[in-house]
């Protein structure tokens, strides 16, 4: 079964509500209409109703009954007041009520509060807004799961029958050993959403001490922490990519490892390597890069690339709904 066919089968009939804050964007509206028409999610599009309708008209689509449009500026006063109170309480003194009134007019903050208050199941943004505008409200309001200090961004890399997970390729510039370990453990959960039985390699330019440096020590320490955090998972490092991926090299460089030579989840030591790595696989290896998928949040929020097309928005929304079902 095709990857997205299997994902669709998992969310069909779940009626998950997904918020799309960027209701003035043709790609977003087009994807939301398709998702509603296909019966996959119940989209909540933020924006003025007449503007959202015009956007739909411009691309030859009609807003279906299963799609809801909410204008934050016209949100009922009593409901908005309840949202303000919930926001101030959640921020625990970091924002005043006056600040909350202003911040919640921002579509990303408003949409994130809908998710936090269980009025929606997940959020997809970033087609227009930079990553920070999507991630910041999520970290301030939804926050990370217990035991996870930071969120991270993973990509599912697919090519034919091949399927791998790369992380962190989107968020953390230079994670420390604890953070790197948390990324490895969070990646096992994301992998299973995509029917990947995770064998996690923490990558380095060294395999099992073949090189000495502080960068290598960081990955080796992160491996030990990850193995303690998730003793039942197959996690190993530090491994060079060839030792992690090629059976003969893995057997030679890391004999006895349950991961070396058969890894399908790759944790990069820092963002520079992760970003370069997934783009090389995408552009030279002809893999499809699906993501970034934000890991570690209490509820799913997804950050689109500003270069995303309608199909990307459609697929990321399906993934977000899938995260909401688990």
């Amino acid at each position: 079964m095709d990857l997205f066919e299997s994902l669709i089968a998992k969310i069909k009939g779940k009626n998950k509500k997904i918020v799309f804050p960027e209701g003035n964007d043709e790609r977003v509206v087009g994807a939301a209409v398709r998702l509603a028409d296909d019966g996959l999610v119940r989209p909540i599009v933020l924006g003025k109703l007449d503007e959202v309708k015009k956007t739909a008209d411009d691309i030859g689509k009609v807003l279906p009954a299963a799609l809801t449009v909410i204008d934050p500026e016209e949100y009922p006063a009593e409901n908005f007041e309840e949202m303000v109170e919930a926001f101030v309480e959640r921020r625990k003194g970091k924002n005043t009520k006056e600040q909350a009134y202003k911040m919640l007019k921002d579509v990303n903050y408003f949409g994130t509060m809908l998710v936090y208050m269980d009025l929606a199941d997940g959020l997809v943004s970033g087609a227009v807004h930079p990553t920070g505008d999507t991630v910041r409200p999520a970290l301030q309001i939804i926050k990370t799961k217990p035991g996870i200090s930071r969120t991270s961004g993973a990509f599912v890399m697919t090519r034919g029958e091949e399927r791998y997970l790369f992380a962190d390729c989107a968020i953390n510039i230079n994670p420390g050993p604890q953070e790197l370990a948390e990324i490895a453990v969070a990646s096992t959960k994301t992998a299973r959403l995509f029917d990947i039985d995770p064998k996690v390699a923490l990558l380095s330019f060294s395999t099992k001490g073949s090189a000495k440096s502080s960068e290598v020590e960081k990955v080796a320490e992160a491996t030990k922490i990850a193995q303690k955090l998730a003793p039942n998972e197959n996690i190993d490092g530090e491994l060079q990519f060839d030792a992690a991926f090629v059976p003969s090299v893995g057997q030679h460089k890391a004999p006895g490892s349950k991961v070396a030579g058969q890894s399908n989840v790759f944790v990069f030591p820092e963002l520079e390597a992760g970003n370069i790595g997934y783009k090389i696989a995408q552009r030279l290896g002809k893999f499809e890069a699906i993501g970034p998928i934000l890991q570690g949040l209490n509820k799913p929020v997804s950050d689109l690339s500003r270069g995303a097309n309608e199909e990307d928005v459609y697929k990321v929304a399906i993934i977000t709904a899938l995260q909401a079902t688990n």
Side-chain angles (χ1 to χ4, degrees):
M1 184 182 289
D2 171 81
L3 172 60
F4 274 91
E5 287 179 359
S6 67
L7 301 187
I8 286 168
K10 292 179 181 181
I11 67 168
K12 195 90 172 179
K14 303 288 186 182
N15 294 319
K16 294 298 179 181
K17 296 179 181 178
I18 304 299
V19 182
F20 298 87
E22 298 161 323
N24 58 345
D25 186 273
E26 291 183 355
R27 299 162 295 170
V28 172
V29 173
V33 169
R34 282 176 58 197
L35 289 159
D37 286 342
D38 293 346
L40 300 183
V41 304
R42 294 166 62 189
I44 300 172
V45 177
L46 301 187
K48 296 185 182 302
L49 180 58
D50 57 345
E51 292 179 3
V52 176
K53 280 184 175 179
K54 182 181 184 307
T55 302
D57 288 342
D58 289 344
I59 55 175
K61 295 185 183 291
V62 177
L63 298 183
L67 185 152
T68 302
V69 177
I70 296 177
D71 180 0
E73 297 285 347
E74 301 294 332
Y75 203 53
E78 63 274 17
N79 295 349
F80 191 73
E81 192 66 31
E82 182 184 355
M83 182 180 285
V84 167
E85 295 288 348
F87 178 79
V88 172
E89 180 182 357
R90 184 61 165 168
R91 295 293 290 146
K92 298 187 185 303
K94 293 179 181 177
N95 291 109
T96 64
K97 201 169 182 179
E98 289 70 26
Q99 289 172 326
Y101 282 118
K102 182 177 180 180
M103 293 170 73
L104 291 175
K105 295 296 183 181
D106 177 279
V107 289
N108 282 307
Y109 274 97
F110 184 92
T112 302
M113 281 301 296
L114 290 179
V115 177
Y116 173 66
M117 297 174 72
D118 292 326
L119 300 171
D121 300 293
L123 177 144
V124 174
S125 188
V128 178
H129 297 89
T131 293
D133 289 358
T134 301
V135 175
R136 192 179 305 109
L139 292 177
Q140 291 177 350
I141 299 166
I142 292 174
K143 303 187 179 182
T144 55
K145 294 177 180 177
I148 296 179
S149 58
R150 294 189 185 185
T151 188
S152 56
F155 282 84
V156 176
M157 310 297 295
T158 68
R159 185 178 64 183
E161 296 298 313
E162 295 177 86
R163 198 176 299 178
Y164 307 102
L165 190 82
F166 286 12
D168 176 6
C169 304
I171 303 293
N172 298 288
I173 294 174
N174 188 19
Q178 177 68 34
E179 294 154 356
L180 202 57
E182 292 171 5
I183 291 167
V185 175
S187 295
T188 65
K189 297 175 174 59
T190 303
R192 286 194 173 92
L193 289 177
F194 296 90
D195 298 325
I196 299 171
D197 182 18
K199 294 179 177 62
V200 183
L202 283 89
L203 298 177
S204 177
F205 59 84
S206 167
T207 297
K208 300 297 184 182
S210 64
K212 304 292 183 184
S213 78
S214 59
E215 290 85 357
V216 172
E217 291 169 6
K218 179 182 83 167
V219 179
E221 184 182 348
T223 301
K224 292 176 183 176
I225 296 170
Q227 290 169 341
K228 288 180 180 178
L229 289 174
N232 297 322
E233 298 286 1
N234 290 317
I235 300 173
D236 203 5
E238 85 280 8
L239 296 170
Q240 291 163 283
F241 184 81
D242 57 352
F245 188 68
V246 182
S248 60
V249 179
Q251 189 174 15
H252 175 69
K253 289 189 173 184
S257 172
K258 294 181 180 180
V259 167
Q262 51 187 325
S263 305
N264 50 23
V265 176
F266 301 97
V267 177
F268 292 85
E270 38 77 35
L271 183 59
E272 189 170 39
N275 185 271
I276 292 169
Y278 99 80
K279 289 187 176 181
I280 287 175
Q282 180 185 33
R283 301 301 180 180
L284 292 184
K286 306 302 181 185
F287 278 83
E288 181 181 4
I290 301 166
I293 301 155
L294 296 189
Q295 306 181 133
L297 291 168
N298 280 312
K299 295 184 179 183
V301 169
S302 295
D303 176 40
L304 297 162
S305 164
R306 278 178 283 175
N309 57 31
E310 181 184 305
E311 184 68 13
D312 294 328
V313 181
Y314 182 86
K315 288 181 174 179
V316 169
I318 289 171
I319 293 169
T320 308
L322 177 63
Q323 288 179 293
T325 66
N326 287 266

